[in-house]
């Protein structure tokens, strides 16, 4: 302490994403600029600062921490207290102290991986710089973080970079407060850091470093498929302008029609192939550098097999120095898709890649910087209002924490859903959601799921007291929850969707109508839900409305074949409609009779109220597609058809909002809409009808909201990945006077379920009553 009455001595506890983002060097610079004494260190709670100085100066210092923070940092709170006798002294200057590992609880945020920054890019391409063409250049503002962390706090000895001893030049940078690499934990150079190697699938080294890059570019030009190791795992790369090699990749990867992401050298190269709004360009150039869906231009050199029948292309820019060098050498866009068989996790090391990618990749471009855990690319699209809509939350976004509205009594594990799985750990008022893991339908993803639970638990020092899960009895995540032996808190699927959005906005479970629309979710009555209106009042949830129910002939087979869903709707209308749809769909008389029997007797024909399946049926009826070779393929075709014609149309297909019974107040009857689609005299094109279908859905949502009598509406669930539906519903509801909450930091799909489960457990809100 100081004897000067105008001088104070404080400890500042800074929480948020403040490790691995250059925060300690930033604090050091600010404190030095203001002439303050003290120290800053990482610890299990975030960043701890001891600062001595005059009151106005310390106020300026605290303000600068929030307003001048590094771009990738996120400050959630700054707490002040008087230093205790056990706190290290302030000293005569300001220093970065060694990390404090005292205390078992780890409550700081794990930093996400960051795209190459402009300064490192300039040095990479500068022939005078000692890191010229070094594929692992990084600094405090960019490079690997989450993918290399083995323990917290975030310091080099607790990362996979611990195996690389810094050379004297790198050590000098690391210890020089004025240097951009001051305490940059992955700091390295060609003398002391990781190295590139091009190998065959058996591990035989074919070339190293610059030679490896040159031979990789040559292999891509020759039409070969190369597995390239990046930040969070391997990409499969090939020439995106070569239709034959793209088709070969699809065959080898068992990925028939699902769109493939494409990496472009720079924005100019992308603009020659797609329309790139300013908001999309900003996302592509951001530290997160996600894949962004942009409208594809006609007549480009890109392979038509990249995204068959899809007007959008998933574009990304080089986000590592290795990508920058490779794309400069190859000078054409490349496919950059996950290096795996369809729906499996990423490969992260050379031995694993050699085994799992045999028969898929021709060569491996790898390096000897170990990856601690796989991290896939994030995916974002823009709404028609140019607002980002997160579809996959992974590299660059996860595992940034969210804040719960109150303290949990004990640490909680949340295991999420079956599809697009993420898991979450929650302790106190902090929730950490994992990056996207994938679908838990294969053993490899289930193993990753269990490893990620172990990783997040270990990183955050959590000993879980309970586990939150979905109510679906057959989800792999639900089975895992039961195997833990911990008390299980089962949260209804669509309620979890709504709660995840409320968590983002800090809104209570009161005065809210949650519209949760998706493909499949286990309902409280044992049927398939998916077109739900959940009314939240005073921390109580009731099923206020739903879509009119129908059967799915063949269950999962109907999910893959949209014609069957159309038959399910037609069966509800009557025998004439059923016979007409069956004939138009190309079913034989025998098939038609079988489906009729199944539907009449309820044989393998579960009842659903799914909005996702309604989109399937409409797509089939309009002739826009009937086969879902990947999730959401037919609904995407409906949106794609509607989007370009919407501005020139005003028609809405009719839906009837009527009393429902059975404990549900209202239902949206799609029969009038079906009749309009089934009208042989309809003069509208399929695209115009698709647009009118979207408008009709938005109008029906608005009418249900009016009758619910609340002021706030939540839009959530996988159907709101559809930007057109998202924006039409938001606009109509807003025009009708409602406050509309949509997802900002989390995806509307099942990637947010674990976050909603945490809030449901905190509030004791787990069931949707009828």
């Amino acid at each position: 302490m100081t004897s000067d009455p105008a001088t104070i001595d404080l400890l500042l506890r800074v929480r948020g994403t403040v490790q691995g983002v250059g925060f300690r060097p930033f604090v050091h610079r600010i404190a030095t600029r203001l002439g303050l004494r003290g120290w800053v260190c990482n610890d299990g709670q975030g960043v701890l600062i001891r600062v001595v100085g005059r009151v106005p100066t310390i106020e300026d210092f605290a303000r600068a921490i929030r307003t001048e923070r590094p771009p990738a940092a996120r400050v959630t709170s700054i707490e002040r207290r008087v230093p205790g006798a056990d706190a290290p002294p302030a000293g005569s200057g300001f220093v970065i102290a060694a990390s404090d590992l005292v205390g078992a609880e780890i409550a700081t945020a794990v930093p996400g991986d960051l795209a190459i920054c402009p300064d490192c890019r300039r040095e990479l391409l500068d022939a005078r710089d000692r890191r010229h063409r070094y594929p692992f250049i990084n600094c405090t503002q960019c490079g690997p973080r989450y993918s290399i962390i083995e323990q917290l706090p975030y310091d080099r000895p607790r990362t996979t970079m611990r195996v690389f001893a810094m050379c004297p030049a790198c050590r000098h940078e690391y210890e020089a407060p004025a240097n951009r690499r001051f305490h940059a934990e992955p700091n390295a150079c060609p003398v002391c850091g990781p190295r590139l190697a091009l190998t065959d699938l058996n591990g035989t080294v074919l070339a190293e470093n610059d030679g490896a890059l040159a031979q990789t570019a040559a292999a891509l030009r020759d039409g070969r498929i190369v597995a390239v190791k990046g930040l969070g795992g391997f990409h499969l790369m090939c020439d995106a302008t070569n239709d034959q090699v793209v088709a070969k990749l699809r065959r080898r990867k068992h990925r028939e029609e699902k769109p493939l992401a494409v990496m472009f050298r720079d924005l100019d190269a992308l603009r020659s192939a797609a329309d790139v709004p300013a908001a999309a360009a900003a996302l592509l150039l951001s530290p997160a550098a996600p894949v962004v869906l942009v409208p594809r231009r006609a007549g480009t050199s890109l392979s038509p097999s990249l995204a068959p029948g899809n007007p959008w292309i998933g574009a990304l820019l080089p986000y590592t120095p290795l990508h920058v060098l490779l794309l400069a050498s190859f000078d054409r866009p490349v496919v950059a898709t996950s290096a795996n068989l369809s729906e499996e996790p990423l490969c992260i090391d050379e031995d694993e890649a050699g085994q799992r990618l045999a028969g898929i990749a021709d060569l491996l471009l790898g390096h000897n910087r170990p990856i601690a855990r796989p991290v896939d690319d994030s995916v974002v699209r823009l709404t028609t209002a140019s607002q980002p809509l997160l579809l996959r939350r992974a590299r660059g976004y996860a595992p940034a924490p969210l804040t719960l509205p109150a303290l949990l009594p004990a640490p909680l594990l949340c295991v999420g859903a079956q599809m697009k799985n993420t898991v979450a750990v929650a302790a106190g008022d902090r929730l950490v959601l994992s990056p996207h893991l994938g679908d838990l339908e294969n053993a490899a993803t289930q193993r990753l799921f269990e490893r990620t639970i172990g990783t997040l638990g270990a990183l955050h020092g959590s000993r879980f007291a309970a586990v939150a899960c979905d109510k679906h009895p057959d989800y792999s995540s639900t089975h895992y929850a039961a195997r833990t032996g911990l008390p299980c808190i089962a949260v209804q699927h669509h309620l979890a969707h709504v709660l995840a959005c409320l968590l983002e906005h800090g809104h209570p479970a009161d005065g809210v109508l949650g519209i949760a629309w998706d493909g499949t979710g286990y309902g409280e009555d044992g049927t398939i839900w998916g077109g739900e209106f959940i009314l939240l009042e005073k921390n109580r949830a009731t099923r206020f409305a739903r879509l009119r129910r129908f059967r799915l002939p063949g269950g999962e087979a109907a999910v893959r074949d949209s014609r069957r869903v159309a038959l399910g709707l037609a069966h509800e209308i009557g025998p004439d409609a059923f016979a007409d749809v069956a004939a138009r769909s190309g079913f034989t008389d025998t098939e038609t009779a079988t489906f009729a029997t199944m539907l009449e007797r309820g044989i393998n024909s579960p009842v659903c109220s799914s909005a996702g399946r309604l989109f399937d049926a409409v797509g089939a009826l309009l002739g826009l597609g009937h086969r879902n070779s990947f999730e959401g393929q037919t609904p995407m075709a409906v949106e794609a058809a509607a989007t370009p014609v919407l501005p020139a149309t005003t028609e809405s297909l009719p839906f009837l909002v009527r009393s429902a019974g059975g404990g549900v107040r209202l239902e949206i009857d799609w029969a009038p809409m079906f009749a309009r689609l089934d009208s042989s005299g309809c003069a509208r094109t399929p695209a115009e009808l698709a647009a009118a279908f979207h408008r009709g859905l938005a109008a029906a949502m608005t009418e249900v909201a009016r009758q619910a009598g609340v002021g706030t509406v939540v839009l959530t669930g996988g159907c709101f990945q559809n930007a057109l539906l998202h924006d039409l519903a938001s606009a109509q509801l807003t025009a009708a006077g409602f406050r509309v909450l949509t997802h900002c930091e989390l995806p509307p799909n099942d990637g947010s379920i674990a976050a909603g489960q945490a809030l449901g457990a905190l509030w004791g809100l787990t069931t949707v009553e009828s």
Side-chain angles (χ1 to χ4, degrees), residues 692-742:
F693 171 66
H694 281 81
R695 288 190 189 277
L697 289 175
M701 290 183 217
T702 304
E703 178 56 30
V704 172
R706 285 194 183 100
Q707 297 196 39
V710 295
T712 300
V713 178
V714 164
L715 302 180
T716 186
C719 288
F720 290 102
Q721 296 174 114
N722 178 326
L724 190 58
L725 182 67
H726 177 283
D727 289 356
L728 282 171
S730 296
Q732 289 202 29
L733 287 161
T734 300
F738 295 98
R739 180 190 180 197
V740 180
L741 304 181
T742 60

Side-chain angles (χ1 to χ4, degrees), residues 649-655 676 691-697 699 732:
T649 65
T650 58
E651 183 181 3
S652 295
L653 290 184
F655 290 84
R676 184 73 63 86
F693 171 66
H694 281 81
R695 288 190 189 277
L697 289 175
Q732 289 202 29

Side-chain angles (χ1 to χ4, degrees), residues 220 224-226 236-240 245-246 249 330 333-336:
L220 292 171
R224 306 183 81 181
I225 298 169
V226 184
L236 289 169
M237 290 190 167
C238 69
D239 184 351
V245 73
V246 173
L249 174 61
F330 183 57
V334 295
V335 171

Side-chain angles (χ1 to χ4, degrees), residues 156-180:
R156 191 181 184 103
R158 286 175 282 278
T159 74
T160 62
M161 283 297 294
R162 58 186 164 75
V163 299
F164 298 98
M166 280 184 277
C167 67
C170 286
R171 173 61 64 182
H172 174 75
E173 294 169 331
Y174 184 86
E175 295 176 349
N179 195 283
R180 199 174 82 253

